[in-house]
Amino acid sequence: EVQLVQSGAEVKKPGESLKISCEGSDYSLTNYWIAWVRHMPGKGLQWMGIIYPGDSHTIYSPSFQGQVTISADKSISTAYLQWSSLKASDTAMYYCARSLDGGDRQNFDYWGQGTLVTVSS
Amino acid sequence: SYELTQPPSVSVSPGQTARITCSGDALPKKYAYWYQQKSGQAPVLVIYEDSKRPSGIPERFSGSSSGTMATLTISGAQVEDEADYYCFSTDSSGDHGGVFGTGTKVTVL
């Protein structure tokens, strides 16, 4: 059964760094794009960016460009989302989702369970 | 930046039809996708490429698109359809950045 398994919840302080992960099981991450989606408390979904683990080609939303880094290690079927200096406003649930296409037919058929990131002093 | 606009809320009685709209300037050229998100759960794809239904999604969910507006229709809404619904599409720039709509809370009561 295809699954995207995300790393566990994190509690961090402002200014700290963080890297969360999304591992694909029962399929090769290399053949699909992986997107990251933010869901802030009480707000809507936000598309952050998408990566093709096969060659690490990455597209960022202008809203998140320079704020986060999306990466992948195809050898272990894992994609990552990282911050170098967290802010309280980064508090949110973060989802990864896979798509066969990274262009204008992005189609997220499987989603991770979500990683809750809490940033508080 | 590109935006997709949805009504904040739609209310419907069980068995009636709910229609959720999604407005965006690039929709005449780009596909719309629809996701259902129930409280505390990850989103689920219910419509792709404007009007196609994934395997396992009930037939009461249908989609259409005309001009700058895409529409998700729930025909004969059930109590279990109560959720937030988001449209999704890509902008018309070369990078095909993705954008979710503002979201619609569907209440079935």
Side-chain angles (χ1 to χ4, degrees):
Chain A
E1 180 193 358
V2 172
Q3 282 190 303
L4 291 174
V5 180
Q6 297 186 229
S7 49
E10 302 274 0
V11 179
K12 292 289 190 179
K13 290 182 165 41
E16 292 185 331
S17 62
L18 176 64
K19 191 174 189 177
I20 62 175
S21 65
C22 169
E23 181 179 359
S25 70
D26 211 36
Y27 85 99
S28 173
L29 212 72
T30 308
N31 299 328
Y32 287 82
W33 293 75
I34 295 290
W36 286 95
V37 176
R38 183 171 80 173
H39 193 190
M40 298 175 74
K43 304 293 186 182
L45 302 176
Q46 294 174 281
W47 184 91
M48 301 175 71
I50 195 167
I51 187 167
Y52 187 67
D55 62 7
S56 291
H57 179 57
T58 308
I59 303 167
Y60 289 94
S61 161
S63 299
F64 292 93
Q65 179 88 49
Q67 307 304 307
V68 298
T69 300
I70 294 171
S71 61
D73 184 341
K74 64 181 180 181
S75 68
I76 55 172
S77 290
T78 301
Y80 303 96
L81 177 65
Q82 69 181 90
W83 296 259
S84 59
S85 181
L86 286 160
K87 302 185 282 287
S89 57
D90 293 317
T91 294
M93 181 73 83
Y94 293 87
Y95 293 101
C96 63
R98 79 166 197 181
S99 172
L100 197 54
D101 187 90
D104 58 4
R105 294 192 182 200
Q106 290 176 47
N107 175 4
F108 307 120
D109 58 353
Y110 283 90
W111 291 68
Q113 82 276 20
T115 296
L116 181 62
V117 174
T118 304
V119 184
S120 174
S121 54
Chain B
S1 61
Y2 186 51
E3 294 182 351
L4 294 171
T5 303
Q6 301 178 231
S9 62
V10 167
S11 292
V12 63
S13 300
Q16 298 302 302
T17 296
R19 291 183 180 85
I20 307 159
T21 58
C22 172
S23 176
D25 289 339
L27 288 178
K29 301 185 292 288
K30 301 292 184 180
Y31 284 118
Y33 299 78
W34 291 93
Y35 293 88
Q36 175 195 69
Q37 187 180 30
K38 295 183 178 179
S39 181
Q41 299 182 20
V44 172
L45 179 69
V46 294
I47 293 290
Y48 68 100
E49 293 179 5
D50 291 345
S51 59
K52 299 176 182 177
R53 197 172 49 249
S55 170
I57 300 301
E59 290 183 9
R60 63 180 179 272
F61 289 91
S62 63
S64 63
S65 187
S66 178
T68 60
M69 186 168 289
T71 302
L72 173 70
T73 301
I74 310 173
S75 304
Q78 306 295 306
V79 172
E80 61 263 31
D81 299 331
E82 189 162 291
D84 293 323
Y85 290 83
Y86 296 91
C87 60
F88 175 89
S89 189
T90 51
D91 67 28
S92 53
S93 72
D95 277 346
H96 304 292
V99 177
F100 283 97
T102 50
T104 299
K105 170 67 178 177
V106 171
T107 303
V108 182
L109 47 71

